[in-house]
Amino acid sequence: MSVLRPQDQLPGLNAATILLVGTDDALLQQLADAMLKEDCASTLKVHLAQSLPLPSNVNRPRIDLIVFVVNLHSKYSLQNVEESLHHVDATFFLGKVGFLATGGGRLP
């Protein structure tokens, strides 16, 4: 298990890999499906993870963007993101990390 670094691998030509990190599997899958349905000139791959670190794997693709999904009604969801941030290299935060808050419009 290792820290994610943006320069671990060379970028692919006209390809991007997005990592969605969050505790709500159904929401992550729905977001991934919506992203993949969009018409795009480049190849888009979306990977899902409940938390970081990711298992060490030589075949893991380069991660171009990490999106942390936080459910505002779940304390565990926020804790999960906070703990996962420790496994992301600081240079990833220069335009390669996004946060998405969900559940704000729903009643508890």
Side-chain angles (χ1 to χ4, degrees):
M1 310 227 185
S2 60
V3 172
L4 286 175
R5 290 184 174 80
Q7 305 302 328
D8 280 348
Q9 298 176 8
L10 294 174
L13 185 61
N14 292 328
T17 302
I18 298 174
L19 177 64
L20 301 177
V21 180
T23 56
D24 188 345
D25 290 337
L27 178 66
L28 292 180
Q29 188 62 53
Q30 186 179 11
L31 180 59
D33 292 341
M35 293 168 76
L36 292 171
K37 282 182 186 175
E38 290 298 315
D39 209 9
C40 182
S42 300
T43 303
L44 179 65
K45 295 178 185 175
V46 180
H47 293 271
L48 310 178
Q50 285 196 348
S51 63
L52 296 178
L54 297 174
S56 296
N57 185 346
V58 231
N59 298 327
R60 182 173 64 213
R62 171 191 162 100
I63 305 296
D64 297 297
L65 175 68
I66 302 173
V67 178
F68 292 99
V69 181
V70 180
N71 182 342
L72 296 176
H73 295 289
S74 170
K75 183 178 179 180
Y76 173 69
S77 177
L78 181 59
Q79 284 177 329
N80 180 53
V81 168
E82 288 174 342
E83 291 170 8
S84 293
L85 287 173
H86 296 289
H87 301 285
V88 179
D89 187 70
T91 56
F92 236 111
F93 292 97
L94 301 173
K96 297 183 183 321
V97 173
F99 293 88
L100 174 65
T102 64
R106 289 185 270 161
L107 295 175

